[in-house]
Amino acid sequence: MKDNEDDNRLQANKKKDDDCWNKKGKDCGPQRNDNPFSFFKGGKFKFSAWYFFIALLILMFLNTFLAQQRMASTVSFSEFKQLVRDGQITQVQLSPDFYYGRGTSADGESGGITYRTVPVEDPGFIPLLDEEGISYSAVSQRGTNMLSTLISWILPLVLLIFVWRLMFKRMGNMGSDVMTFGKNRSQIVAEGQTGVTFADVAGADEAKEELEEVVDFLKNPRKYTVIGGKVPKGVLLVGSPGTGKTLLARAVAGNAGVPFFRMSGADFVEMFVGVGAARVRDLFKQAREKAPCIVFIDELDAIGKSRLQVAAGNDEREQTLNQLLVEMDGFDATTGVIILAATNRPEVLDPALLRPGRFDRQIVVDKPDLEGREAILKIHSKDVKLAKTVNLREIAKATPGFVGADLANVINEAALLAVRSGRTEVLQEDLQEAIEKAVAGLKKKNRLINPKEREIVAYHETGHALTAAFTEGADPVQKITIVPRGIGALGYTMQTPVEDRYLMTEEELLGKIDVLLGGRAAEKVKYGSISTGAANDLSRATDIARKMVTDYGMSDKFHNVALTKQANPFLGDTGQAMMSREYSEDTQTYVDQEIARIVAQRYDRVVKLLESKQDTLEAVAQRLLEKETLEAAEFASMTGLKEKQAL
Ligand code: ADP
Ligand code: MG
Ligand code: ZN
C-alpha cells in the first residue's frame, strides 16, 4: 500500500511536469523557479518535498492505526478475565479506554499485545491480577493523545497548504500575472529583429521619407550627438486603420537593425490599478538596457485619451498615462531609445502627450493612391501564383479607397477562391470577385465613396486647382488628390506658399476667395448644380470677406475704417472671442450685404474663368479620376502654364 501510494504521487508529479514542458517552459506555476524544496530544478524528474512530507505523515498515521488494529483482537471482559486466569496473558496495560493484555500467542511465541477489552467496573479485577502474579501498569491518557492531537492539528494545516498550492498551479497564467505584474508581458513582445524593411511597405512614400531620419539616427547616433543635435524621441504615426502604421514601425526597426519592443495601448489597461504603470516602467527599463532600440506603442489612444474629455476618470488609465509621460521625460534622445506610437484618432489624445519632448513629431500615413495600391498589390502577390493574364494595375484602379490591409486581404481572398475552384493559379476573375466581396464589407463600414461622388470630388478639386493656376499671386498648386483622408475630407488641393507672408494686398485676399470658391464653381460649370461638398470652402471664403470689411477697411462705405476693436493678443489666447463689435445695427446690415456682394461677385468671376477653361477642366478632372493624385509638374503641363516659380 505504501509503495503504491508513492508511485501514484510520482506519476502525478511527472504528468504535471510534462504539462509544463508543453507550454514551452513559461508560466509553469511558481514552484518551477522559486521552490527551495524542489529536488531537481527544472529537470524532467521533479519531486517536490511537499508531497514527500505529506506522504510521510499519512504513513505515520496509518502505521499507528494499523499497529493498533493488528495488535488488538477485542474480546469481552469476561473472556479477558478467563484468559488471565488461564495464564494466557502475562502482562496487562490499563488505559482508560481499553485494557490490553500481552501474552503468549497460539504458537507459544511471547510478546506483542494480543488482546484488548473494554473495561468493566470490577473491583475484583486488580486482586485477580495480583493473585495470578501478572504485572500490570496504567497508561496515562496523554501519551496517546499527544500523537493524535499533533495529527489533528498538523494534518488540516498540511492539507490547507496542499490545496493552496494546487490552486496556484490551476490558475496558471493568471496567478503568475498577479504576482509578477507586467514582467512577463513585456518580455513576450520584445520581437528582436523584425525582419521587415521599408521594401515591404509601399504607397506611403512621404511617411517613409520622414522615418528615414529615425533609421539614420539609430544607425549612426554619434553623427547627431557630436553636433549636439536633438533627434525627436517620440514619433506619432497617424492614419486610418490598415494603412500600415504597425508595419512601418517594424520596418524602421528592421532597417536600422535594432530590437523592437511592441506593446498595444490596450495591454496597459488592466483590471488592477497600477499594473499598467508597472508595465510601462518595465518596458522602458528593458528598452534602456537594449538601446539602441525602438519602443512601439500601438493604439496609443487606448491610454492616451485626453484626461479632460473623460467625464468619469479612469484611475488606471490615468496612472498609466502619467507613468508614460514620466518615462518619456526621463531619458534624453542620446540613450538611443526612440518611441514610435500609432493612432487613428489623434484628436482624442491628451495634449500633454503631444508637447515638445514627447510625441512632438507626427507623421501622417495616407491611404494609398493608384500607384501606391499597385505597389502594395505587387508586394503581397509575391508569394502567390498569379496567371500571366493578371493585370494588377486594373485591380488597383478598381479599388479606390482601399488601404494596405484591404489589398492584402483581396490577394489572399483571391488565392482562396482559386483553390476552391481547383486551380493552381490566381486569375483576374478571382481578384475581381475578391474585390466585390471586400467592397461589400467596406460599404457596410462606410469607408467607400461611390463613383458618382468620386467624380464630383474630382471636378471640385480641379476647380480649386485651375482657379489657383489662373489667379495672379495665388499660391502655386503642389498636389491635387481625390484620395479620401480622415473624416470629411474627400480630396484636397495642396498649395504651398512660395514664401512666408505677413502682409496681404487686397487683390491677394480676393484671389484667395476665388480659389476657395473654385470648387463649387467647377461643380456649377460641369453639372449645372451644386453639392454640399463646398461647405468648408464657403465658410473660409466668407471669413476672409468679413475681415476685409470689418477689420481691414476694404469696403466702399467704410473705406479705411476698422469696425472691430482688436483685443490685446497677449491678454490670453481667447483671440476671436475678444473682438468686440463697435458699430450699429445699420452698419451690421451693411456689413452683411457687403460680404454677400463680394462673394457673389467673385463667384461670378470664377465661374466665367472656368467656363472659358472648360476643356482644361475636363482634361484635368478626367486625369485625376484616373490617377487620383496629380503632382505639380503634370498639372502645370496640362494647364499649359509653366510650373510657377518663386517670384
Ligand atoms: P495599421 O497598424 O495602420 O492599422 P498594419 O500595419 O497593421 O496597419 O497593416 C496591416 C497589414 O496590412 C500589414 O501587415 C500589411 O500586410 C498590410 N499593409 C498595410 N499597409 C501596407 C503598405 N503600405 N504596404 C504593404 N502592406 C501593407
Ligand atoms: Mg496597427
Ligand atoms: Zn473644396
Side-chain angles (χ1 to χ4, degrees):
M1 183 170 181
K2 171 188 167 188
D3 288 342
N4 257 347
E5 242 186 62
D6 262 355
D7 250 313
N8 284 345
R9 269 170 214 293
L10 276 179
Q11 269 179 3
N13 253 334
K14 244 184 102 168
K15 192 152 173 295
K16 268 183 199 118
D17 230 73
D18 286 342
D19 282 347
C20 269
W21 284 106
N22 289 343
K23 282 197 241 160
K24 300 215 173 81
K26 66 166 196 197
D27 287 342
C28 282
Q31 89 282 12
R32 171 169 287 282
N33 307 316
D34 47 29
N35 188 354
F37 293 100
S38 285
F39 288 175
F40 296 96
K41 266 192 188 176
K44 266 264 173 204
F45 175 79
K46 187 161 55 64
F47 189 174
S48 165
W50 280 108
Y51 299 127
F52 186 70
F53 185 54
I54 293 165
L56 211 70
L57 260 171
I58 291 177
L59 282 174
M60 251 166 69
F61 181 73
L62 281 176
N63 207 36
T64 5
F65 184 72
L66 283 180
Q68 283 188 1
Q69 284 288 328
R70 186 161 16 94
M71 72 193 179
S73 90
T74 312
V75 294
S76 72
F77 191 68
S78 58
E79 264 181 274
F80 195 84
K81 262 166 96 178
Q82 191 55 49
L83 286 166
V84 169
R85 280 195 205 100
D86 293 353
Q88 297 230 18
I89 287 174
T90 52
Q91 217 178 3
V92 171
Q93 233 175 27
L94 307 170
S95 85
D97 291 339
F98 290 109
Y99 290 170
Y100 294 101
R102 192 195 292 266
T104 43
S105 52
D107 47 16
E109 246 176 81
S110 87
I113 297 168
T114 338
Y115 307 102
R116 74 171 178 187
T117 186
V118 181
V120 170
E121 191 76 37
D122 179 4
F125 186 59
I126 300 293
L128 174 68
L129 293 180
D130 286 336
E131 205 175 288
E132 294 288 330
I134 292 170
S135 73
Y136 56 93
S137 59
V139 181
S140 124
Q141 204 170 354
R142 275 166 91 185
T144 42
N145 273 16
M146 270 290 268
L147 190 67
S148 64
T149 323
L150 214 68
I151 287 173
S152 68
W153 273 92
I154 290 181
L155 209 64
L157 209 78
V158 168
L159 267 172
L160 216 77
I161 294 173
F162 182 71
V163 169
W164 181 64
R165 294 186 65 85
L166 208 76
M167 261 171 59
F168 251 90
K169 237 169 288 161
R170 281 288 140 81
M171 289 203 296
N173 289 332
M174 197 198 156
S176 66
D177 243 28
V178 173
M179 300 313 280
T180 58
F181 293 101
K183 284 214 167 80
N184 299 338
R185 286 282 189 111
S186 41
Q187 263 155 10
I188 292 168
V189 290
E191 291 187 8
Q193 309 290 330
T194 59
V196 178
T197 64
F198 281 151
D200 299 311
V201 191
D205 297 332
E206 282 151 40
K208 269 202 267 186
E209 241 163 65
E210 292 201 52
L211 286 169
E212 283 288 353
E213 196 192 347
V214 175
V215 172
D216 193 41
F217 169 75
L218 287 166
K219 271 187 177 160
N220 320 299
R222 291 216 55 207
K223 193 167 103 192
Y224 294 83
T225 50
V226 158
I227 302 182
K230 276 217 178 71
V231 168
K233 302 187 221 185
V235 178
L236 184 62
L237 299 169
V238 179
S240 321
T243 44
K245 299 179 294 294
T246 310
L247 191 69
L248 269 169
R250 283 219 173 85
V252 171
N255 265 35
V258 299
F260 181 74
F261 292 87
R262 173 173 180 267
M263 238 180 188
S264 176
D267 288 348
F268 291 114
V269 183
E270 282 284 333
M271 178 164 55
F272 302 104
V273 173
V275 174
R279 288 217 172 109
V280 173
R281 214 175 306 126
D282 243 33
L283 176 69
F284 278 85
K285 190 166 147 259
Q286 284 188 45
R288 246 176 250 133
E289 282 162 10
K290 293 254 168 63
C293 67
I294 285 187
V295 172
F296 178 58
I297 303 175
D298 216 344
E299 325 286 346
L300 181 66
D301 42 283
I303 35 170
K305 250 190 224 126
S306 172
R307 283 166 289 192
L308 301 175
Q309 282 179 12
V310 190
N314 178 337
D315 261 357
E316 162 63 353
R317 204 189 40 235
E318 229 165 79
Q319 277 202 20
T320 310
L321 176 57
N322 282 337
Q323 187 64 37
L324 181 64
L325 296 177
V326 167
E327 293 290 346
M328 286 195 77
D329 289 340
F331 64 88
D332 62 326
T334 53
T335 49
V337 180
I338 288 194
I339 305 158
L340 297 183
T343 181
N344 46 22
R345 296 173 350 176
E347 69 282 352
V348 305
L349 290 182
D350 198 291
L353 270 172
L354 306 177
R355 271 212 290 272
R358 291 165 186 164
F359 294 107
D360 48 1
R361 186 173 296 195
Q362 298 188 22
I363 297 181
V364 176
V365 186
D366 277 332
K367 283 188 184 170
D369 60 4
L370 183 62
E371 300 288 338
R373 288 200 302 272
E374 192 183 348
I376 293 172
L377 285 168
K378 273 207 185 104
I379 287 178
H380 285 281
S381 56
K382 238 187 304 177
D383 300 327
V384 176
K385 265 207 197 115
L386 297 181
K388 288 219 176 57
T389 51
V390 166
N391 183 345
L392 289 181
R393 180 89 183 173
E394 288 300 317
I395 301 301
K397 272 187 190 156
T399 49
F402 277 45
V403 293
D406 299 333
L407 294 168
N409 196 27
V410 163
I411 296 277
N412 191 42
E413 194 65 41
L416 293 181
L417 284 171
V419 171
R420 211 172 295 157
S421 32
R423 274 182 268 107
T424 52
E425 278 182 334
V426 174
L427 302 181
Q428 191 82 354
E429 291 106 78
D430 296 327
L431 288 162
Q432 233 110 41
E433 200 181 329
I435 293 173
E436 273 159 35
K437 268 189 164 179
V439 165
L442 293 178
K443 268 213 188 106
K444 253 186 241 151
K445 291 187 224 149
N446 256 338
R447 270 172 52 194
L448 285 191
I449 51 170
N450 70 39
K452 179 67 188 166
E453 283 180 353
R454 201 162 155 265
E455 196 185 293
I456 295 177
V457 173
Y459 279 93
H460 178 108
E461 294 304 329
T462 308
H464 285 307
L466 279 186
T467 317
F470 291 104
T471 298
E472 198 64 40
D475 293 331
V477 173
Q478 202 203 3
K479 186 175 163 184
I480 323 170
T481 171
I482 55 167
V483 178
R485 51 201 64 214
I487 312 151
L490 298 173
Y492 70 71
T493 302
M494 197 160 126
Q495 292 172 269
T496 31
V498 198
E499 61 200 332
D500 280 348
R501 296 295 301 274
Y502 303 100
L503 295 175
M504 286 204 139
T505 63
E506 190 173 354
E507 287 70 34
E508 281 166 340
L509 286 171
L510 291 174
K512 262 191 182 304
I513 295 178
D514 288 358
V515 174
L516 285 167
L517 294 174
R520 169 158 282 194
E523 290 176 41
K524 175 83 184 154
V525 170
K526 167 72 184 166
Y527 301 106
S529 69
I530 51 179
S531 77
T532 57
N536 184 23
D537 299 338
L538 295 186
S539 87
R540 281 162 64 197
T542 312
D543 252 11
I544 297 176
R546 176 176 296 114
K547 283 227 176 90
M548 287 176 70
V549 179
T550 60
D551 295 10
Y552 308 144
M554 289 175 180
S555 61
D556 286 338
K557 190 166 167 192
F558 294 105
H559 209 61
N560 301 336
V561 175
L563 296 176
T564 51
K565 189 171 161 186
Q566 215 139 6
N568 185 341
F570 295 107
L571 289 180
D573 51 4
T574 34
Q576 298 290 327
M578 298 285 285
M579 296 280 216
S580 51
R581 201 182 90 171
E582 303 211 317
Y583 48 83
S584 65
E585 279 304 320
D586 285 352
T587 310
Q588 176 69 60
T589 312
Y590 173 76
V591 168
D592 292 345
Q593 281 167 355
E594 186 68 4
I595 293 169
R597 190 191 59 81
I598 293 174
V599 173
Q601 193 185 38
R602 300 318 292 183
Y603 180 68
D604 283 346
R605 208 192 76 91
V606 175
V607 169
K608 284 210 183 76
L609 170 78
L610 290 179
E611 269 166 355
S612 72
K613 307 275 178 201
Q614 207 159 0
D615 293 345
T616 323
L617 178 68
E618 238 1 273
V620 175
Q622 285 305 325
R623 186 92 183 112
L624 191 56
L625 273 171
E626 192 183 318
K627 278 194 69 185
E628 295 178 17
T629 321
L630 284 183
E631 301 290 337
E634 187 169 8
F635 175 70
S637 77
M638 291 191 80
T639 53
L641 294 172
K642 273 212 200 110
E643 223 177 307
K644 272 194 194 173
Q645 297 295 319
L647 295 168

